[in-house]
Amino acid sequence: MPMGQRTLLPDAEEVVLDSLKTVGCDSLSMVLRAARMTGLCPRCCRSSYRIHSRYQRKLADLPWEGIPVRIELRVRRFFCDSANCEQRIFTERLPHTAASYARQTCRLGKALDRIVMALGGAAGSRLAEQLGILASGSTLLRQIRRKSSVGANLSPRVLGIDDWAWRKGHRYGTILCDLEAGKVVDLLPDREADTVAQWLHAHPGTEILSRDRASAYAEAARRAAPQAVQVADRWHLLHNLSEALRYALEPHHRILAQAAAQVGKPEKPPSISAPSVPVATRSALLQQHSRERRLGLYEQVVDLVGRGMTQGQIAAQLGIGRRTVRRWMHSDVFPERKPAHRSNSVDAYTNFLDQRWQQGCHNAAEIWRELREQGFAGQSGIVRSWLRQRRGPRSERGEHVAKPPRMRSSPRHVAWLMLTEPDTARSYLEEVYRESPLIAATASAAREFARIVRSRDSAAWPDWLQSAQTTALANFAVHLMRDHDAVLAALKMPWSNGPVEGQVHRLKLIKRQMYGRASFDLLRIRVLNAA
């Protein structure tokens, strides 16, 4: 039967329909019998024509439009006439219709398997009831326990290993994945080195093992799979770098705070005779920064066009769209953005608002109450926003001016700034480096290590280890030396724990669906058999 084709019978090649009848007003009954005239002995595999007896099996089948269906299957027993066979009497097998001793058809069992694998016991039972299948949560759980764990006996050549949380910060397990096939091969209830080593002993053949920098997994691999090449995960290397840089910056918190205060210090106020310059609001500062960034990109586009580069090459190099490149190429001057103005329900009362403003009423709440008397249906926040936009910056009205955001000086945030180097933090970082040459050398070493990992520049790895000894990352470099072979393999080989993290995400979804009420064996079976 072609895949995807549906028939009235469980298997049209094995059984034929004798009769179809209704039972009451809410169920159907099909009477089926075997299609073949002979029976095949399950022990010697020889056909037999001699019938010993007949009996009837009652099976549950898939519902029809939510109507339950029962099958009355007429089965025969045969004599085995082979002199060398120990089986004297046997029952004919119908493997595609129903398994031996089963009380449901194979296709109903497969449907329940899919339901319980996707939803579990209680939720699967509720969905099955909506579809017309009567199966309790306990029945579904027994069915899932009988299902074999696909992949649990595999010995993958490239193994990815990571931990997952039963309860974060308290209890953890271990997930093992075949990185070549992209599938989970097993789950372990803890992350102890002995448990992982025992699994590796029972599943030999691993040639490459990708892991994070946890010492338990490294020890287990050295004990049980010494022939395997251990590969440190690159994301974890960069994460360890950011943590090490944060710890290195914590003793210099005073310098970081002083630099933030120095950068955020306002310019010297103008003399009395000089005309006053209105201070920009925060939104104006952001708009100015956005314009400067666009202007810089526009100038780079013009320069690259003069060098003869194509639109696609310019877009790929600058990280902007081709339409933007095309529009700027055909523009004689830098295209300024038009000021955005959104019309709202307050615009209909512009004359009244202007009149009240000239009369000296600057209270938005009072103006809103007067507008409500005239039929205005909006809220007070709309009126307040309209007045703020129409009356200009606060500096022109003599009100308090919003100060530009102050640079954050926490070690974690500064470590991120040092690794990414955004344009908005350039002056702050320069001030920090000027105040402390040690911090400058540490930041330079951190950026170099990040470059080595991202570009997999294994040739620069020995030089970095030597140069890092004179910086605050010396302790981090010592820890990397203890895992030298795995780090070097990460720079030379393409494998990483990225696919394993994706499987951990799927595991968390299944675990949370089970609400913590199911045991580890059910979680393991569902994860291993997840589609």
Side-chain angles (χ1 to χ4, degrees), residues 120-139:
S125 176
R126 291 193 293 269
L127 176 61
E129 184 180 358
Q130 295 294 324
L131 298 176
I133 305 174
L134 298 180
S136 66
S138 300
T139 300

Side-chain angles (χ1 to χ4, degrees), residues 417-437:
L417 293 177
M418 289 179 176
L419 292 175
T420 57
E421 292 188 304
D423 293 338
T424 54
R426 185 175 302 171
S427 58
Y428 171 72
L429 293 178
E430 291 176 353
E431 182 66 22
V432 172
Y433 299 155
R434 187 183 64 81
E435 291 289 337
S436 175

Side-chain angles (χ1 to χ4, degrees), residues 241-257 408-419 428-429 432-433 436-444 446 472-473:
L241 169 67
S242 64
E243 291 297 313
L245 183 57
R246 177 172 68 88
Y247 292 141
L249 293 175
E250 285 182 350
H252 306 283
H253 194 282
R254 182 179 58 82
I255 296 178
L256 304 181
R408 293 166 54 189
S409 60
S410 66
R412 183 183 298 275
H413 183 69
V414 176
W416 177 80
L417 293 177
M418 289 179 176
L419 292 175
Y428 171 72
L429 293 178
V432 172
Y433 299 155
S436 175
L438 177 61
I439 295 180
T442 302
S444 177
L473 297 178

